[in-house]
Amino acid sequence: MTAIVLTLYVREYCCLCHTMQADLLALQSSYPFRLQILDIDDDAALEAQYQPLIPVLCAPNGEILCFYHLKLQALDAYFAQIG
């Protein structure tokens, strides 16, 4: 399976963001994905969209997979769905 690009929306100073990023990086050997990390403070539109939910993990189609904390069940369900 080709590696999917998941997007993690973060803020540089957010401890929940650092935790989710570390958790996701540790899972890359188990799931076929690459991680794109975008700081919402660099884009006013992203900040308006995601600010109350940070960190936010999204699928390539923009579907929110989880926010605040990594949910392994959501990641499992997503990869089962895309086959």
Side-chain angles (χ1 to χ4, degrees), residues 8 15-17 19-20 23-24 53-57 65-74:
L8 180 61
C15 63
L16 290 177
C17 298
T19 299
M20 188 183 290
D23 291 346
L24 285 164
L53 302 175
I54 290 300
V56 180
L57 180 64
L65 300 176
C66 57
F67 54 92
Y68 300 138
H69 303 283
L70 180 61
K71 294 180 176 68
L72 287 177
Q73 305 90 329

Side-chain angles (χ1 to χ4, degrees), residues 25-40:
L25 291 174
L27 289 171
Q28 283 186 303
S29 61
S30 302
Y31 294 89
F33 74 90
R34 290 183 299 123
L35 192 58
Q36 175 182 12
I37 300 166
L38 296 177
D39 189 326
I40 66 166

